[in-house]
Amino acid sequence: MKEFIDLRSDTVTKPTPAMRKAMTDAEVGDDVFGEDPTVNALQEKVARMLGKEASIFVPSGTMANQLAIKSHTQPGDEVIIETTSHPYNFEGGASAALSGIQFNCLQGIRGILEPSQIEEAIRPDDHHFPVTRLVCLENTHNRGGGSIYPIERIAEISRLARSKGLLVHLDGARLWNASVATGIKPHEYAQWADSVSVCLSKGLGAPVGSLVAGSRTFIERVHRFRKMFGGGMRQVGIIAAAGIYALDHHIERLKEDHQKAKHLALGLHEIQGVSIDPECVETNIVIFDIAEMGMTATQVRDEMKKKGVLIHPFGRTQIRLVTHLDVSKEDIETALKAFREVLRPS
Ligand code: TLP
């Protein structure tokens, strides 16, 4: 039996025995020389899946986003992004430090922006203003509770951006979840973006790894900055193999994670004082509020831990739960039972 049911993130999964076998068997070479056949195969595969000319393997989703921002912008440029987005909130201020850009943050609904908001935010061509260069979108949206960017909305934003000479970057750390939930292929989403970052180490269950995809010239630029950021890795086919395995075997099963998240949301909804709309749970992330209960998220975290369930406070009274391949349906029942015991209005 496992020590903890870990609902803090879908990043906590451990490689399955079959994935480990693929890693052991991987052919490797020095990827800084471009000689790792497994990395090359992964990069070609992801470029194909996203309908882009090329893609490049990097250690993390953070590096993937930051390389895209760096490669698209000049210091002093402005990047339009949603207020609760990952690059703005959870990447250590990297875009300011590494790219010298400033963000223009717009408030979305569950992370989703309206094209009209973006249109209004684009700076006029006047030397007083920063140059608006890039629009960043996130699908699914983490802080938005795993919300799915409707493809029509992405298309509208992209058409607007292109008509104004702006570039679009899509943070697709969980694009696979959006794709499985909607039946819309990753390349259909990706066609609307100049660059896309994707992660293998979230719902797909690989231990490490993300990629950035785009045109060949863009990826050449990213390659240069990857070296500069210290992201060039050597015999890294050993982890790229886990990524290939994950793409071949762990995409369709994301459906199960979405069902588990919905089940969690419905169970939480029945607890008096929990604020959650189960309708809003579209993928594998559940965010709920306990402001009415007179408890804080950290108190709940500590009580839940005593009952063997790990959860992630997301603000003073908000809690995030994420389902993944290392939590079973039974684990969800156990977690709900623990929540029913801990979440009692004071
Ligand atoms: N998100 C992590 C934490 O940083 C919050 C998580 O547990 O969800 N884009 C999105 C949308 C993400 O959710 C994350 C990771 C990243 C990028 C960064 O990926 P890593 O952690 O590989 O740098």
Side-chain angles (χ1 to χ4, degrees), residues 8-11 60-63 65 86 90-91 138 140 142 171 173-174 199 201-202 210 314 320:
R8 287 172 302 168
S9 182
D10 48 7
T11 58
S60 68
T62 299
M63 192 182 284
N65 281 337
H86 201 277
F90 305 118
E91 299 186 7
E138 188 174 316
T140 64
N142 181 347
D171 176 350
R174 296 186 180 85
C199 292
S201 57
K202 312 246 158 10
S210 292
F314 237 34
R320 184 187 76 163

Side-chain angles (χ1 to χ4, degrees), residues 149-170:
Y149 235 108
I151 188 135
E152 310 74 41
R153 189 71 67 86
I154 296 181
E156 262 184 87
I157 291 173
S158 172
R159 281 194 207 99
L160 167 72
R162 284 173 185 169
S163 75
K164 304 281 184 187
L166 308 186
L167 299 161
V168 177
H169 171 66
L170 177 62

Side-chain angles (χ1 to χ4, degrees), residues 35-112:
E35 290 172 3
D36 190 302
T38 311
V39 171
N40 292 339
L42 172 66
Q43 291 175 164
E44 281 161 29
K45 186 179 179 71
V46 168
R48 222 173 22 250
M49 291 174 87
L50 295 173
K52 297 293 183 199
E53 285 176 1
S55 86
I56 187 165
F57 193 42
V58 299
S60 68
T62 299
M63 192 182 284
N65 281 337
Q66 293 306 324
L67 283 170
I69 291 170
K70 178 79 180 167
S71 305
H72 283 312
T73 60
Q74 297 292 328
D77 282 350
E78 194 162 80
V79 175
I80 295 177
I81 201 158
E82 206 276 334
T83 316
T84 61
S85 68
H86 201 277
Y88 178 58
N89 292 285
F90 305 118
E91 299 186 7
S95 305
L98 304 176
S99 300
I101 60 97
Q102 64 184 31
F103 282 123
N104 187 351
C105 295
L106 310 178
Q107 181 75 57
I109 296 177
R110 302 179 59 240
I112 313 293

Side-chain angles (χ1 to χ4, degrees), residues 6 9 71 115 147 175 177 185 188 192 205 210 226 294 308 328-329:
D6 196 342
S9 182
S71 305
S147 52
L175 189 63
N177 294 81
K185 296 278 177 236
E188 296 178 73
W192 300 109
S210 292
R226 184 184 73 172
S328 64
K329 285 185 186 147

